[in-house]
Amino acid sequence: MNHYRSGFRSIAGDDEPSAPKHQRGRIVHTAAEVWRFAIVGSVGFAVEAVILTVLVRAGDWGLYEARLLSFSLAVSATWALNRRFTFTHRSSANRKREYARYFTVQSVGALLNLGVYSAFLLQWPSLGAWPVLPLAAGSLSAMVFNFLGVRFFAFTGSSVGI
């Protein structure tokens, strides 16, 4: 008997989903990575916010100098956490290469975030009254870019040099 598969169920009516189990497993695994990546990103935001605030208020640092250090330390923290919790199976033996690639992706993501934020404010100046909206657009854009970048560029599981 021909069990032609169409859509989600077979014509023979055997109620078996058409997607193989390994494909569903991959989707679940990727969703779990996205979730862990978002949690680690939240921790990174908190690390950066605390360091930035302490440097500016207690250390009398300038806003931009403090931001450079707080960003660098937050990226280091998220690299370690993502390496340990999000991309364990993709971590590389070559930590220097992995960190350099991770830092590069995060830096480009930060520029993308700022670019989207600025573009929204230029296109819709009235959003200046609600800056959280362009901030959210920039953050979401950067999060998608950063996830894909670190998943496929930084955490490759390869120990080949840069």
Side-chain angles (χ1 to χ4, degrees):
M1 178 184 277
N2 182 0
H3 289 269
Y4 175 76
R5 304 244 178 238
S6 173
F8 295 105
R9 309 272 185 229
S10 72
I11 291 175
D14 62 359
D15 290 337
E16 182 181 323
S18 61
K21 286 183 181 180
H22 71 278
Q23 188 176 19
R24 288 189 309 264
R26 240 185 278 152
I27 292 168
V28 169
H29 179 76
T30 301
E33 281 183 340
V34 169
W35 180 246
R36 288 189 298 265
F37 186 80
I39 291 169
V40 168
S42 297
V43 171
F45 176 82
V47 167
E48 185 168 8
V50 167
I51 293 170
L52 179 65
T53 301
V54 168
L55 291 175
V56 169
R57 292 191 178 174
D60 202 29
W61 282 49
L63 292 171
Y64 297 101
E65 296 82 6
R67 183 73 199 272
L68 284 173
L69 182 59
S70 66
F71 173 78
S72 297
L73 293 174
V75 167
S76 296
T78 60
W79 169 73
L81 291 170
N82 275 315
R83 180 178 173 76
R84 173 69 176 98
F85 297 112
T86 308
F87 301 109
T88 304
H89 64 290
R90 294 177 175 273
S91 295
S92 166
N94 187 337
R95 291 179 179 204
K96 288 180 183 179
R97 178 197 64 87
E98 183 181 87
Y99 181 79
R101 287 181 169 204
Y102 185 87
F103 195 90
T104 300
V105 168
Q106 294 297 317
S107 296
V108 172
L111 293 174
L112 174 64
N113 184 330
L114 181 60
V116 170
Y117 174 83
S118 299
F120 267 63
L121 289 174
L122 287 171
Q123 181 66 34
W124 299 286
S126 62
L127 288 178
W130 299 94
V132 72
L133 297 175
L135 175 65
S139 296
L140 183 59
S141 301
M143 183 181 146
V144 170
F145 172 83
N146 287 343
F147 176 78
L148 294 173
V150 300
R151 187 170 193 263
F152 294 109
F153 182 67
F155 292 110
T156 62
S158 169
S159 61
V160 179
I162 296 177

